[in-house]
């Protein structure tokens, strides 16, 4: 099976967690795109979706799923999203698609976070994937220096040669060289730094379940 087929398999498997008649939280990325494709088959049995990015909103609307603003809904039963890394406790690094802030907001609104990923995303310790951090641009340099003191090297993410601008109008730092052994403490600490909008460690909003695409089929891991 190719990586693309593994993503399609977990996207399909995630339908099992969507509650008919309710609004589903939908993340961002190539694995979530497979989930959205699969969701087309049950679009008439759900009320709609809350989306974590403009890209997913467009894709959901294209298949006829009504998209609600997060401020219009109460608690969601489930949020389905991918990850850049997931550790054995269900702690994740996310934000490779620059949607981490809205992803964390929709995850926080949801009772369950179902992570869909292929097995290349499983790591013993978070930090191999460059850690995305959404920052207010005027703070970027100081935040980069704070990461340097922790052994990380931060770079502003570029798009077409200029800093990428997120859906929230901010920039992303990608931090290499970290080993995040205590994700809960790390997330809490970095969140306190002035100018950090969101750090891409999802420990306080960790996965409840991971549907992992492997060569021997989709494995369900509960945390
Ligand atoms: C976007 C994310 C994605 O969930 C993460 O980057 C995984 O993406 P993909 O499914 O394309 O590998 O956090 O901000």
């Amino acid at each position: 099976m190719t990586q693309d087929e593994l993503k399609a398999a977990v996207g399909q498997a995630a339908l099992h967690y969507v509650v008919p008649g309710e609004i589903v939280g939908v993340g961002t990325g190539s694995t979530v795109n497979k989930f959205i494709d699969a969701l087309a088959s049950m679009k008439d049995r759900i009320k709609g979706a809350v989306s974590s990015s403009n890209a997913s909103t467009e894709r959901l609307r294209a298949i006829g799923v009504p998209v609600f603003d997060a401020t219009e809904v109460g608690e969601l039963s489930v949020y389905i999203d991918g990850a850049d890394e997931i550790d054995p406790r269900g702690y994740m690094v996310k934000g490779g698609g620059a949607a981490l802030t809205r992803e964390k907001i929709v995850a926080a609104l949801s009772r369950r976070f179902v992570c869909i990923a292929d097995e290349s995303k499983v790591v013993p310790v978070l930090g191999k994937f460059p850690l995305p951090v959404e920052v207010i641009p005027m703070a970027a340099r100081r935040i980069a220096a704070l990461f340097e003191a922790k052994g990380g090297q931060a770079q502003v993410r570029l798009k077409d040669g200029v800093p990428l601008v997120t859906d929230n109008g901010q920039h992303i730092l990608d931090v290499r060289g970290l080993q995040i052994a205590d994700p809960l403490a790390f997330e809490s600490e970095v969140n306190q730094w002035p100018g950090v909008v969101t750090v891409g460690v999802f420990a306080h909003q960790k996965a409840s379940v991971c549907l992992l695409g492997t060569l021997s089929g989709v494995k369900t891991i509960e945390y």
Side-chain angles (χ1 to χ4, degrees):
M1 266 178 131
T2 63
Q3 195 182 27
D4 206 50
E5 288 166 333
L6 294 178
K7 290 180 183 189
V10 293
Q12 183 71 35
L15 290 184
H16 175 70
Y17 291 85
V18 177
V19 183
E22 292 199 7
I23 296 173
V24 58
V26 178
T28 301
S30 56
T31 315
V32 164
N33 286 347
K34 300 291 187 191
F35 167 66
I36 296 174
D37 293 346
L39 193 62
S41 68
M42 65 178 292
K43 71 173 165 50
D44 297 326
R45 285 187 285 138
I46 58 170
K47 198 168 160 196
V50 171
S51 159
S52 68
S53 64
N54 295 340
S56 289
T57 297
E58 262 182 42
R59 212 171 171 104
L60 285 160
R61 289 200 169 128
I63 61 159
V65 172
V67 178
F68 294 87
D69 196 274
T71 57
E72 296 177 279
V73 303
E75 192 181 58
L76 303 176
S77 51
V78 67
Y79 177 58
I80 315 270
D81 198 359
D84 297 304
E85 288 187 331
I86 183 160
D87 84 359
R89 296 165 291 183
Y91 298 139
M92 297 169 285
V93 162
K94 292 182 45 54
L100 63 163
T101 298
R102 295 186 188 197
E103 291 173 344
K104 208 173 264 192
I105 293 168
V106 187
L109 279 174
S110 307
R111 279 198 300 282
R112 271 183 132 182
F113 187 136
V114 176
C115 173
I116 50 176
D118 63 82
E119 60 190 342
S120 69
K121 306 293 183 67
V122 176
V123 294
V125 179
L126 302 178
K128 196 164 169 220
F129 187 90
L131 175 69
V133 185
E134 185 165 2
V135 299
I136 290 174
M138 70 178 284
R141 198 168 168 166
R142 177 168 187 271
I143 293 166
L146 291 171
F147 277 119
E148 203 162 310
K150 285 188 169 297
Q153 301 87 46
Q155 276 183 329
V156 176
R157 191 181 300 181
L158 302 180
K159 188 179 176 195
D160 303 328
V162 295
L164 175 145
V165 177
T166 68
D167 286 353
N168 310 308
Q170 310 302 337
H171 290 175
I172 298 282
L173 288 178
D174 289 308
V175 189
R176 290 173 172 75
L178 297 169
Q179 286 261 308
I180 307 168
D182 185 348
L184 282 167
F186 183 94
E187 182 182 8
S188 298
E189 181 189 347
V190 175
N191 271 336
Q192 301 303 318
W193 296 350
V196 169
V197 178
T198 302
V199 56
V201 171
F202 281 54
H204 294 283
Q205 267 80 44
K206 73 170 194 166
S208 320
V209 178
C210 179
L211 302 178
L212 195 66
T214 75
L215 291 178
S216 50
V218 176
K219 285 189 184 152
T220 304
I221 305 164
E222 308 235 5
Y223 303 100

